[in-house]
Amino acid sequence: MKRVVTIVLIIVVILIAAVVALPLFFKQNLLDYARNTLNKQLNAQVEVADLKLSLFRSFPKVSVELQGVVIQGKGTFENDTLLQLNSLRTTTDFKSVLHPSDMHIEEIVVDNAKINLLVAKSGEANWDIQKTSTGSEVKTQDTQDAESEFHLQLDKIEIRDVSVIYDDQAADMLLQLDDIDFDVSGQMFGSSTQLKTSGGVNEFSFSYAGVNYISKTKLSTTTLLNVNFETMTFTIAENELLINRLPLQLNGDVSMPSDSIFFDLGIQTNSSDFENFLALVPPVYESYLKDISTSGSATINGAIKGYYFGESYPGFNLNATIANGHFQYAGMPEDIKNIRAKVSISKPQGDLDLTKIVVEDAHAEIRNNPVDLLLKLTQPVSDPYFDATFVGKVNLLHLKNALPIDSVNMSGIIDANIMAQGRYSAIEKEEYQKIKTDGAVLLNDFVYQSPELTKEIRVPQGQMDFSPKQINLSKFHMLIGASDINLSGAISDYLSYLFSNGTLNGDLQLNSQHTNLNELLRLQVAETNGSKQTSEEEVLAFNVPPRINFRLKSNIKTAVINRIPIRNINGVIKAANEKLTLENLDMDMLEGQLKMNGSYQNTVQNEPLFDFGFDISKIDIPAMYNTLAGIQKMMPMTGSSTGKISTDLGIKGRLNPQLGLIASSINGKGTFSTNNLEIVNSPVFNQLSGILKKEKLRDIKVDDFMAHVNIENGNLLLTPFTTKVIGQETTVAGSLNTENLIDMRLDFMVQRDVFGPDIQKVLGVIPGNEKIKILPAGVNIKGPVGNPEVKPDLALTTKAIADATKDDLKNSLDKLGKGVLKLFEK
């Protein structure tokens, strides 16, 4: 007995070893065979990462699994992947492996696959990859007999986590099915059978010509099919179809006796409640339908009848009818009632361009405010013809009381009566005279508040009149915070902008009694990572919208930006190519006048590029100092100055996100000049009391002058110029760098009677000093502009004295030098 047990154990171990080793012996050969066969049969590049052959997984069955299958196109679709398959597994009995002519496969399991079906604009399809046979490829009788004897017996198909994209670039159509799970079970062989199918698509989307008609809709079905394999007819015995949560019933049959597919199907709702119809809303929007009560009826029915072959599609009709619809959100005082509509989508046998969509008698009411819509759409593939009318009067306060719009506060009345009729090709060709549009939209007492905005927007009165070419703003009065804005003019090419990715053109006049630019620049609340920014972090840089070409002529009586009061703003502002351009923008400010030309364009880093030219005429220096914080920091001496300053300056560079200058990026050049400049009790000039009389330094008058400046990478370079300071000829030169460090030199030619008493005493002991009438004196000013160091330079003074007194000075030179040095050490 012990011997028998030992022999059995040895046999079991050998069998197990054989089962384990068998896949190892054949794996590489099978993998190479699969790759080579697929590449020979298909006009594509096929890769198979791995092949697993297992006798354990489904013992005593054989399990074969292909992993990492990738099929890429060639030629037109060389860079496109047709199929990416994680796993394809089949299970069969061992007998089928030995006798493939009578193969019985129990199941096929497809797991995690992506199928990308493409049709190029030329009409080529990326799935047309089967190689055409040549005349030399003649099948032998043995081959034909072997194929006729091959019988595939299949019991189950499982599809898990599969996505399908159908992108028809020729028809501008996109179909997406994501997260497909599907099971088919039953005997898929013999002359007839019954199959059970179940599963669905988690997200189904469809768009045509850039318009998204179906968005992330959920589909699921359970169907019992009677199948006749001889005539290839599939008859629906039982069916339940769910579109999102709307239950539908499908009946009829589909047959494929040849290359054509014949349809004879009907569809209808299992119930007629309006609530079920609302279930068509995609799941992503279902949260908006919570806590509502509904009433009314809604039915859907339709049929598909005909054949599909080539470009001929079966006829179909789909009808939806809503009657006496009503819904109300819990806790909301208003409801939406008297909802009704008739929707018909139909097409006879033939081309898809024969499809016709009709929406009739679409109506809804909030309190006593009705909204009505009529729509007819034909030839949707070749050249859509549309005929639409919208008539409605909506009280926004009633609307807010009917819908849970908690994030915004709206009130006012919108009264619209608009119609449009024509063909899409006329829009593409900008033949707007072929489009018939008419109507108007009126706004009365419109108010809009949102957490996204810092100020409410009010439109006491607004009117937009529509024509095929343009929208006319005959009167549009708007209030934003402290700003009042009146717009008039025309907005043209709006049809091309809406439907053909065209450019929206506008020619408008803006009139305002007062505009607060501080509020308008901060109208939108800035956020970072979901939290409100501090004032130091807030981003004021803004983007000019793409695809617009606007010309705005302004006439603003008064305005304010930062603390600067401005009056009489006139000029042209253009917005095009995502750039803002100013043309001859004139304004009165700081008791002078400013004219601006230039451009502004934001960047992805929110560091806008600018290129501006300023022509500033006779700005009042005290007003400038008291208003502009930057001037107080850069030019503190202006705080004790009077007079006017003018400049003609062109600069370009970058701004930071808060619209402040990035100093190191600034380059430019220009001139500045003064009128009646007087510097009163300046701390800088007070340090010259050792050279000049103190009484002369209290009120320093500067003759009018013009100076040239260059700005290089933020550093201001002053070209030397000559003027008179306290009546003394003075040459000025210097620079101001990006760190606000000043380096300036003043070279005076000082008349003798202006020198201070200390220098007068020194001169009094020099023989021949009566010959000296005027002397040079230099001053170096260096350091922070707010507190620079002032150092007199008397080298030229000493030389001038020596030259003037000549021999009389020789005996007194040493004494003079010591006296001067002692004087300026005080």
Side-chain angles (χ1 to χ4, degrees):
M1 186 66 182
K2 182 178 180 181
R3 184 178 180 83
V4 172
V5 172
T6 302
I7 293 173
V8 170
L9 289 174
I10 292 172
I11 293 173
V12 169
V13 170
I14 292 173
L15 286 174
I16 293 174
V19 170
V20 171
L22 186 61
L24 299 178
F25 284 115
F26 293 101
K27 173 182 176 179
Q28 191 59 46
N29 290 335
L30 290 173
L31 185 58
D32 292 339
Y33 178 78
R35 287 174 181 157
N36 294 334
T37 301
L38 289 171
N39 278 291
K40 286 180 181 179
Q41 296 294 326
L42 302 178
N43 186 29
Q45 181 65 40
V46 183
E47 289 293 335
V48 182
D50 199 4
L51 182 147
K52 292 187 177 181
L53 178 65
S54 173
L55 301 178
F56 279 118
R57 183 171 192 145
S58 306
F59 188 81
K61 309 295 182 182
V62 178
S63 175
V64 180
E65 182 180 6
L66 291 177
Q67 293 183 340
V69 179
V70 178
I71 301 178
Q72 288 184 315
K74 292 182 178 179
T76 304
F77 304 101
E78 184 173 359
N79 297 320
D80 295 313
T81 299
L82 170 63
L83 173 67
Q84 185 172 334
L85 175 62
N86 183 57
S87 171
L88 172 63
R89 187 177 75 252
T90 64
T91 302
T92 184
D93 55 38
F94 195 74
K95 178 182 177 182
S96 295
V97 177
L98 300 176
H99 301 284
S101 62
D102 190 23
M103 180 170 286
H104 179 201
I105 296 178
E106 289 192 354
E107 65 176 2
I108 296 177
V109 180
V110 178
D111 186 23
N112 192 0
K114 291 181 173 59
I115 303 171
N116 188 28
L117 306 176
L118 299 176
V119 179
K121 291 184 178 180
S122 62
E124 294 179 85
N126 72 334
W127 64 84
D128 188 12
I129 57 175
Q130 186 173 359
K131 290 183 178 179
T132 57
S133 59
T134 63
S136 60
E137 296 174 345
V138 180
K139 295 183 180 179
T140 65
Q141 184 64 42
D142 292 340
T143 303
Q144 293 176 355
D145 292 342
E147 288 183 355
S148 63
E149 292 175 0
F150 182 81
H151 299 287
L152 176 63
Q153 300 180 26
L154 183 62
D155 294 328
K156 187 176 182 181
I157 298 175
E158 291 185 18
I159 296 174
R160 295 287 176 266
D161 192 18
V162 173
S163 296
V164 178
I165 295 177
Y166 174 73
D167 186 0
D168 191 334
Q169 297 176 358
D172 197 10
M173 181 169 62
L174 180 64
L175 183 73
Q176 290 182 268
L177 297 94
D178 293 325
D179 194 9
I180 303 172
D181 288 314
F182 216 78
D183 291 341
V184 181
S185 59
Q187 293 184 350
M188 293 171 231
F189 54 89
S191 59
S192 63
T193 189
Q194 192 171 69
L195 300 178
K196 183 178 181 181
T197 67
S198 64
V201 180
N202 195 46
E203 292 185 357
F204 168 54
S205 299
F206 172 74
S207 63
Y208 173 73
V211 179
N212 199 14
Y213 290 97
I214 302 174
S215 175
K216 297 183 178 180
T217 297
K218 186 173 183 178
L219 304 175
S220 62
T221 184
T222 300
T223 305
L224 191 63
L225 291 174
N226 291 327
V227 183
N228 186 324
F229 284 112
E230 293 182 352
T231 60
M232 288 300 291
T233 300
F234 301 82
T235 302
I236 300 174
E238 297 178 9
N239 169 261
E240 183 183 72
L241 174 64
L242 289 174
I243 302 179
N244 289 337
R245 292 178 293 105
L246 176 66
L248 298 171
Q249 185 173 350
L250 192 65
N251 57 74
D253 56 63
V254 178
S255 61
M256 296 179 287
S258 60
D259 291 340
S260 299
I261 305 175
F262 292 86
F263 296 85
D264 188 1
L265 298 172
I267 187 171
Q268 63 182 15
T269 49
N270 288 334
S271 62
S272 60
D273 290 340
F274 179 59
E275 182 180 5
N276 289 332
F277 186 81
L278 291 178
L280 287 174
V281 173
V284 292
Y285 302 111
E286 281 187 347
S287 60
Y288 295 101
L289 297 180
K290 290 182 178 179
D291 302 322
I292 65 171
S293 59
T294 65
S295 63
S297 63
T299 59
I300 296 177
N301 62 74
I304 303 174
K305 190 162 186 170
Y307 63 90
Y308 167 63
F309 181 77
E311 295 299 319
S312 184
Y313 295 88
F316 63 83
N317 65 81
L318 181 67
N319 303 295
T321 302
I322 304 172
N324 299 318
H326 161 274
F327 73 85
Q328 184 173 18
Y329 281 90
M332 303 300 289
E334 299 286 352
D335 59 353
I336 299 178
K337 59 187 178 181
N338 293 335
I339 304 171
R340 62 177 184 267
K342 292 180 181 179
V343 181
S344 172
I345 305 174
S346 61
K347 185 190 79 66
Q349 176 69 46
D351 193 89
L352 288 174
D353 204 30
L354 299 173
T355 302
K356 181 167 65 174
I357 302 172
V358 178
V359 179
E360 296 180 300
D361 194 26
H363 176 91
E365 295 178 19
I366 301 177
R367 197 175 283 193
N368 295 318
N369 297 317
V371 175
D372 293 276
L373 172 68
L374 297 174
L375 172 65
K376 182 179 180 181
L377 182 66
T378 60
Q379 294 180 258
V381 176
S382 61
D383 186 10
Y385 172 83
F386 55 87
D387 185 354
T389 301
F390 177 85
V391 179
K393 186 174 183 179
V394 178
N395 186 312
L396 294 176
L397 183 59
H398 297 164
L399 179 65
K400 187 177 186 302
N401 288 334
L403 300 176
I405 312 175
D406 297 329
S407 59
V408 298
N409 184 25
M410 298 185 298
S411 63
I413 295 175
I414 299 177
D415 193 348
N417 188 338
I418 307 172
M419 66 83 60
Q421 185 183 77
R423 290 197 174 276
Y424 185 70
S425 60
I427 298 174
E428 291 182 310
K429 298 175 183 177
E430 299 185 3
E431 298 174 343
Y432 302 113
Q433 70 278 5
K434 295 182 179 180
I435 304 293
K436 184 179 180 182
T437 58
D438 196 6
V441 175
L442 304 178
L443 298 178
N444 286 293
D445 298 325
F446 174 82
V447 178
Y448 179 83
Q449 292 177 315
S450 167
E452 303 297 322
L453 301 178
T454 58
K455 300 291 180 182
E456 72 174 16
I457 298 175
R458 303 176 64 89
V459 182
Q461 189 177 37
Q463 180 172 337
M464 296 175 284
D465 297 304
F466 289 79
S467 70
K469 176 65 178 176
Q470 62 191 26
I471 301 172
N472 294 306
L473 301 179
S474 56
K475 48 186 175 181
F476 199 91
H477 180 50
M478 184 162 50
L479 301 173
I480 304 175
S483 303
D484 68 276
I485 298 171
N486 285 280
L487 288 175
S488 60
I491 299 173
S492 57
D493 303 323
Y494 67 96
L495 293 174
S496 174
Y497 177 78
L498 293 174
F499 300 110
S500 301
N501 204 34
T503 298
L504 186 67
N505 294 291
D507 192 353
L508 302 172
Q509 173 73 44
L510 184 152
N511 296 317
S512 174
Q513 292 298 317
H514 180 73
T515 300
N516 188 320
L517 294 172
N518 298 319
E519 293 180 347
L520 295 182
L521 285 173
R522 294 169 173 82
L523 181 60
Q524 186 166 358
V525 175
E527 294 188 1
T528 299
N529 298 324
S531 61
K532 292 183 180 179
Q533 296 179 323
T534 66
S535 59
E536 297 177 354
E537 297 174 329
E538 65 179 341
V539 175
L540 298 180
F542 59 91
N543 296 320
V544 178
R547 296 197 299 122
I548 67 167
N549 183 9
F550 272 48
R551 182 180 185 273
L552 186 68
K553 188 176 181 181
S554 64
N555 182 2
I556 302 172
K557 297 301 181 184
T558 64
V560 62
I561 183 167
N562 293 329
R563 295 184 300 159
I564 308 172
I566 308 173
R567 294 179 292 108
N568 302 324
I569 302 176
N570 292 279
V572 175
I573 303 171
K574 289 185 177 180
N577 301 318
E578 301 184 54
K579 179 185 288 188
L580 202 64
T581 304
L582 308 181
E583 294 183 355
N584 297 322
L585 196 65
D586 290 331
M587 61 195 76
D588 298 330
M589 59 182 291
L590 303 177
E591 301 184 22
Q593 190 174 37
L594 167 66
K595 179 182 287 186
M596 292 178 61
N597 287 279
S599 63
Y600 164 100
Q601 187 171 26
N602 202 9
T603 65
V604 293
Q605 297 84 12
N606 272 334
E607 293 184 352
L609 303 174
F610 73 90
D611 186 350
F612 286 123
F614 300 93
D615 185 356
I616 301 174
S617 177
K618 297 183 179 179
I619 295 293
D620 185 70
I621 293 176
M624 180 178 66
Y625 178 85
N626 293 324
T627 305
L628 303 179
I631 293 296
Q632 296 173 12
K633 182 178 179 181
M634 294 178 61
M635 301 174 65
M637 68 177 63
T638 57
S640 56
S641 302
T642 62
K644 304 282 187 179
I645 188 170
S646 301
T647 181
D648 183 1
L649 180 65
I651 59 173
K652 61 183 177 179
R654 289 183 291 123
L655 304 172
N656 61 30
Q658 292 75 40
L659 297 183
L661 293 173
I662 298 178
S664 61
S665 73
I666 308 303
N667 290 279
K669 63 181 180 179
T671 64
F672 76 91
S673 58
T674 62
N675 296 93
N676 303 320
L677 176 60
E678 185 172 342
I679 304 173
V680 180
N681 197 24
S682 166
V684 173
F685 281 93
N686 284 342
Q687 296 183 56
L688 302 178
S689 60
I691 301 176
L692 306 175
K693 291 181 178 179
K694 288 185 177 180
E695 60 270 20
K696 295 286 187 179
L697 296 174
R698 292 192 185 97
D699 298 316
I700 300 174
K701 293 183 179 180
V702 181
D703 283 9
D704 297 348
F705 66 84
M706 176 181 287
H708 294 268
V709 295
N710 287 290
I711 303 174
E712 299 176 1
N713 300 322
N715 299 301
L716 188 149
L717 308 175
L718 182 63
T719 303
F721 68 92
T722 300
T723 185
K724 284 188 176 181
V725 180
I726 328 174
Q728 313 305 302
E729 183 177 298
T730 308
T731 299
V732 183
S735 65
L736 177 67
N737 68 16
T738 56
E739 297 177 355
N740 273 343
L741 297 177
I742 192 172
D743 186 354
M744 183 172 289
R745 179 171 177 94
L746 307 179
D747 285 307
F748 294 95
M749 293 299 295
V750 184
Q751 296 176 6
R752 179 163 181 166
D753 61 350
V754 179
F755 275 115
D758 291 339
I759 291 185
Q760 295 285 8
K761 290 179 182 179
V762 174
L763 292 175
V765 300
I766 298 175
N769 69 84
E770 65 277 358
K771 302 175 183 178
I772 300 174
K773 303 299 181 183
I774 187 169
L775 285 174
V779 177
N780 292 314
I781 305 173
K782 291 185 178 182
V785 292
N787 185 27
E789 183 180 6
V790 181
K791 286 188 176 182
D793 181 359
L794 297 180
L796 293 177
T797 308
T798 303
K799 184 176 182 305
I801 292 173
D803 291 341
T805 57
K806 296 182 179 179
D807 295 336
D808 297 328
L809 186 62
K810 290 180 180 178
N811 298 326
S812 307
L813 186 59
D814 291 338
K815 181 180 179 181
L816 172 66
K818 292 178 182 178
V820 172
L821 291 175
K822 184 177 181 182
L823 173 66
F824 292 109
E825 285 174 357
K826 293 181 180 180

